[in-house]
Amino acid sequence: MTYHHFVGDGLNRSEKIQQWVIDQLLNSKLPNEARESSIEWELKHSSGVIQMARLLAQKRGMEEELGEIAAAMHDIYVITHGSYENHAQKGAEIAKGILKNEGRFSQQEIGDIVDAIRCHSDKHIDSKNELIELIKDADCTDCFFYGDRVYDYKPPQMLKHYYMRIISIRKELGLPPKKYFSEQLSIIQKSGGIRGEIDE
Ligand SMILES: [Fe+2]
Ligand SMILES: [Fe+2]
Protein backbone atom coordinates (compact mmCIF):
# COMPACT_ATOMS: atom_id res chain seq x y z
CA MET A 1 0.00 0.00 0.00
CA THR A 2 1.28 3.46 -0.85
CA TYR A 3 1.52 6.21 1.77
CA HIS A 4 -1.86 7.78 2.58
CA HIS A 5 -0.72 11.41 3.01
CA PHE A 6 -3.14 11.82 5.92
CA VAL A 7 -6.13 11.04 3.69
CA GLY A 8 -8.65 8.32 4.57
CA ASP A 9 -9.09 6.08 7.61
CA GLY A 10 -5.68 4.46 7.76
CA LEU A 11 -3.97 6.87 10.15
CA ASN A 12 -1.97 5.29 12.95
CA ARG A 13 -2.15 6.66 16.51
CA SER A 14 0.76 9.07 16.06
CA GLU A 15 -0.69 10.43 12.82
CA LYS A 16 -4.09 10.82 14.51
CA ILE A 17 -2.55 12.98 17.25
CA GLN A 18 -0.61 15.03 14.68
CA GLN A 19 -3.82 15.55 12.73
CA TRP A 20 -5.61 16.65 15.91
CA VAL A 21 -2.89 19.21 16.69
CA ILE A 22 -3.08 20.68 13.17
CA ASP A 23 -6.88 20.80 13.39
CA GLN A 24 -6.63 22.82 16.62
CA LEU A 25 -4.78 25.47 14.65
CA LEU A 26 -6.79 25.32 11.43
CA ASN A 27 -10.09 25.55 13.32
CA SER A 28 -8.95 27.90 16.08
CA LYS A 29 -11.26 30.72 17.14
CA LEU A 30 -8.29 32.58 18.64
CA PRO A 31 -7.00 35.15 16.09
CA ASN A 32 -3.32 35.98 15.66
CA GLU A 33 -3.87 39.31 17.45
CA ALA A 34 -4.70 37.38 20.63
CA ARG A 35 -1.67 35.06 20.32
CA GLU A 36 1.96 35.45 21.35
CA SER A 37 2.93 33.53 18.17
CA SER A 38 0.82 33.36 15.04
CA ILE A 39 -1.17 30.33 13.88
CA GLU A 40 1.15 30.15 10.87
CA TRP A 41 4.22 30.00 13.07
CA GLU A 42 2.70 27.40 15.37
CA LEU A 43 1.96 25.22 12.32
CA LYS A 44 5.53 25.54 11.09
CA HIS A 45 7.03 25.02 14.54
CA SER A 46 4.99 21.96 15.53
CA SER A 47 5.79 20.29 12.19
CA GLY A 48 9.43 21.34 12.41
CA VAL A 49 9.88 19.96 15.92
CA ILE A 50 8.39 16.63 14.84
CA GLN A 51 10.93 16.34 12.03
CA MET A 52 13.82 17.39 14.30
CA ALA A 53 12.68 14.81 16.88
CA ARG A 54 12.67 12.08 14.21
CA LEU A 55 16.11 13.10 13.01
CA LEU A 56 17.60 13.17 16.51
CA ALA A 57 15.82 9.96 17.53
CA GLN A 58 17.35 8.15 14.55
CA LYS A 59 20.75 9.60 15.32
CA ARG A 60 20.44 8.46 18.97
CA GLY A 61 19.10 5.00 18.14
CA MET A 62 15.79 5.75 19.81
CA GLU A 63 12.37 4.55 18.84
CA GLU A 64 10.69 7.49 17.02
CA GLU A 65 6.99 7.22 17.72
CA LEU A 66 6.70 8.66 21.24
CA GLY A 67 9.15 11.38 20.26
CA GLU A 68 7.08 12.52 17.31
CA ILE A 69 3.90 12.54 19.42
CA ALA A 70 5.51 14.52 22.26
CA ALA A 71 6.99 16.88 19.67
CA ALA A 72 3.60 17.41 18.01
CA MET A 73 2.00 18.24 21.39
CA HIS A 74 4.85 19.99 23.20
CA ASP A 75 3.38 23.51 22.77
CA ILE A 76 -0.25 22.39 22.82
CA TYR A 77 -1.22 25.00 25.42
CA VAL A 78 0.19 27.79 23.23
CA ILE A 79 -1.65 26.31 20.26
CA THR A 80 -4.99 26.21 22.08
CA HIS A 81 -4.65 29.31 24.33
CA GLY A 82 -2.12 31.54 22.57
CA SER A 83 0.00 32.11 25.70
CA TYR A 84 3.43 30.86 26.78
CA GLU A 85 2.78 31.41 30.47
CA ASN A 86 3.50 28.15 32.28
CA HIS A 87 2.60 26.47 29.00
CA ALA A 88 4.64 23.30 29.53
CA GLN A 89 2.77 22.39 32.74
CA LYS A 90 -0.62 23.40 31.40
CA GLY A 91 -0.01 21.67 28.06
CA ALA A 92 0.96 18.43 29.80
CA GLU A 93 -2.51 18.28 31.39
CA ILE A 94 -4.24 18.89 28.05
CA ALA A 95 -2.12 16.22 26.38
CA LYS A 96 -2.89 13.69 29.11
CA GLY A 97 -6.62 14.00 28.44
CA ILE A 98 -6.26 13.76 24.67
CA LEU A 99 -3.96 10.73 24.84
CA LYS A 100 -6.29 8.92 27.25
CA ASN A 101 -9.24 9.66 24.98
CA GLU A 102 -7.42 8.37 21.93
CA GLY A 103 -7.62 4.94 23.51
CA ARG A 104 -4.54 3.39 21.89
CA PHE A 105 -1.88 4.43 24.45
CA SER A 106 -0.81 2.54 27.57
CA GLN A 107 -0.55 4.32 30.94
CA GLN A 108 3.24 4.10 30.68
CA GLU A 109 3.29 5.68 27.20
CA ILE A 110 0.95 8.48 28.31
CA GLY A 111 3.16 9.13 31.34
CA ASP A 112 6.32 9.27 29.21
CA ILE A 113 4.83 11.66 26.62
CA VAL A 114 3.26 13.89 29.28
CA ASP A 115 6.55 14.10 31.22
CA ALA A 116 8.40 15.17 28.07
CA ILE A 117 5.84 17.92 27.45
CA ARG A 118 5.87 19.05 31.10
CA CYS A 119 9.68 19.33 31.19
CA HIS A 120 10.33 20.76 27.72
CA SER A 121 10.92 24.34 28.89
CA ASP A 122 13.58 23.26 31.39
CA LYS A 123 16.43 23.65 28.92
CA HIS A 124 18.76 24.44 31.84
CA ILE A 125 18.29 20.93 33.27
CA ASP A 126 20.00 17.84 31.83
CA SER A 127 17.75 14.96 32.76
CA LYS A 128 18.65 11.29 32.39
CA ASN A 129 15.39 10.66 30.54
CA GLU A 130 16.17 10.38 26.83
CA LEU A 131 12.65 11.28 25.63
CA ILE A 132 12.62 14.44 27.76
CA GLU A 133 16.00 15.48 26.39
CA LEU A 134 14.93 14.61 22.83
CA ILE A 135 12.02 17.07 22.99
CA LYS A 136 14.09 19.86 24.54
CA ASP A 137 16.73 19.39 21.84
CA ALA A 138 14.23 19.10 18.96
CA ASP A 139 12.48 22.29 20.15
CA CYS A 140 15.74 24.17 20.46
CA THR A 141 17.04 22.96 17.07
CA ASP A 142 13.89 23.94 15.20
CA CYS A 143 13.82 27.40 16.80
CA PHE A 144 17.47 28.13 16.04
CA PHE A 145 16.81 27.39 12.35
CA TYR A 146 14.58 30.51 12.32
CA GLY A 147 17.59 32.62 13.28
CA ASP A 148 20.58 32.67 15.61
CA ARG A 149 18.96 35.36 17.75
CA VAL A 150 15.58 33.68 18.16
CA TYR A 151 16.05 33.27 21.93
CA ASP A 152 17.51 36.73 22.59
CA TYR A 153 14.51 37.67 24.72
CA LYS A 154 15.58 35.15 27.37
CA PRO A 155 17.73 36.23 30.32
CA PRO A 156 21.44 35.43 29.87
CA GLN A 157 21.59 32.78 32.59
CA MET A 158 18.86 30.85 30.73
CA LEU A 159 20.06 31.73 27.23
CA LYS A 160 23.48 30.19 27.87
CA HIS A 161 21.83 26.77 28.22
CA TYR A 162 20.23 27.15 24.78
CA TYR A 163 23.65 27.94 23.30
CA MET A 164 25.20 24.95 25.07
CA ARG A 165 22.45 22.72 23.72
CA ILE A 166 22.64 23.90 20.10
CA ILE A 167 26.45 23.74 20.07
CA SER A 168 26.28 20.15 21.28
CA ILE A 169 23.43 19.15 18.92
CA ARG A 170 25.19 20.61 15.86
CA LYS A 171 28.28 18.61 16.80
CA GLU A 172 26.19 15.46 17.27
CA LEU A 173 24.63 15.93 13.81
CA GLY A 174 27.99 16.62 12.17
CA LEU A 175 27.06 20.22 11.28
CA PRO A 176 29.84 22.83 11.20
CA PRO A 177 30.20 24.86 14.42
CA LYS A 178 28.64 28.33 14.36
CA LYS A 179 30.93 31.02 15.70
CA TYR A 180 27.99 33.15 16.84
CA PHE A 181 26.85 30.56 19.38
CA SER A 182 30.25 29.96 20.95
CA GLU A 183 31.00 33.70 21.04
CA GLN A 184 27.70 34.53 22.73
CA LEU A 185 28.15 31.68 25.19
CA SER A 186 31.60 32.89 26.13
CA ILE A 187 30.33 36.50 26.57
CA ILE A 188 27.68 35.27 29.00
CA GLN A 189 30.11 33.01 30.84
CA LYS A 190 32.66 35.83 31.20
CA SER A 191 30.05 38.22 32.54
CA GLY A 192 29.35 35.57 35.22
CA GLY A 193 27.47 37.56 37.82
CA ILE A 194 24.47 38.45 35.66
CA ARG A 195 21.39 37.09 37.29
CA GLY A 196 18.33 36.13 35.36
CA GLU A 197 15.11 34.30 35.78
CA ILE A 198 15.04 30.73 34.56
CA ASP A 199 11.35 30.05 34.50
CA GLU A 200 10.65 30.49 30.76
FE1 LIG B 1 7.42 25.54 24.55
FE1 LIG C 1 8.34 24.94 21.13
Side-chain angles (χ1 to χ4, degrees):
M1 200 177 117
T2 55
Y3 183 59
H4 53 63
H5 292 87
F6 281 54
V7 174
D9 300 325
L11 273 63
N12 64 34
R13 61 184 190 168
S14 168
E15 291 163 347
K16 269 277 176 206
I17 295 292
Q18 293 172 53
Q19 185 181 56
W20 178 82
V21 171
I22 293 168
D23 286 345
Q24 296 309 298
L25 285 162
L26 295 183
N27 302 317
S28 176
K29 302 267 184 292
L30 202 63
N32 282 346
E33 299 72 53
R35 293 175 170 274
E36 290 187 46
S37 296
S38 70
I39 289 173
E40 292 82 357
W41 193 82
E42 295 297 349
L43 275 168
K44 287 169 65 62
H45 180 54
S46 59
S47 301
V49 178
I50 295 169
Q51 298 294 56
M52 293 305 143
R54 287 179 174 134
L55 183 72
L56 289 167
Q58 287 194 16
K59 185 75 186 171
R60 295 173 186 182
M62 293 170 63
E63 189 269 330
E64 287 172 58
E65 192 196 21
L66 298 190
E68 65 194 34
I69 295 165
M73 302 184 101
H74 83 284
D75 278 338
I76 192 60
Y77 183 80
V78 190
I79 284 172
T80 53
H81 291 72
S83 161
Y84 284 95
E85 199 189 340
N86 207 13
H87 71 283
Q89 287 283 346
K90 293 174 181 169
E93 292 312 308
I94 297 174
K96 193 190 281 178
I98 297 300
L99 292 166
K100 274 186 185 164
N101 249 351
E102 210 283 335
R104 286 188 280 178
F105 293 96
S106 70
Q107 284 292 96
Q108 175 76 50
E109 289 170 330
I110 293 174
D112 290 347
I113 295 167
V114 166
D115 283 348
I117 296 169
R118 183 180 295 113
C119 298
H120 88 265
S121 295
D122 301 335
K123 308 286 198 295
H124 57 298
I125 296 171
D126 282 321
S127 91
K128 298 224 181 314
N129 180 310
E130 59 176 16
L131 183 60
I132 290 176
E133 291 309 302
L134 181 80
I135 299 309
K136 290 179 195 171
D137 287 346
D139 190 19
C140 195
T141 308
D142 183 64
C143 284
F144 271 124
F145 277 133
Y146 294 99
D148 295 348
R149 307 192 62 167
V150 73
Y151 286 118
D152 273 11
Y153 66 93
K154 294 202 176 281
Q157 289 307 309
M158 188 60 173
L159 184 55
K160 75 175 181 189
H161 295 283
Y162 286 77
Y163 290 136
M164 287 192 275
R165 273 186 191 273
I166 196 63
I167 288 167
S168 150
I169 295 162
R170 290 184 66 88
K171 198 170 173 190
E172 178 184 359
L173 294 175
L175 296 172
K178 270 199 167 194
K179 231 169 124 186
Y180 180 79
F181 296 140
S182 45
E183 279 172 0
Q184 292 302 308
L185 177 60
S186 115
I187 289 169
I188 295 173
Q189 282 169 336
K190 276 180 196 148
S191 68
I194 296 175
R195 295 192 66 82
E197 300 300 315
I198 51 172
D199 61 349
E200 289 194 44

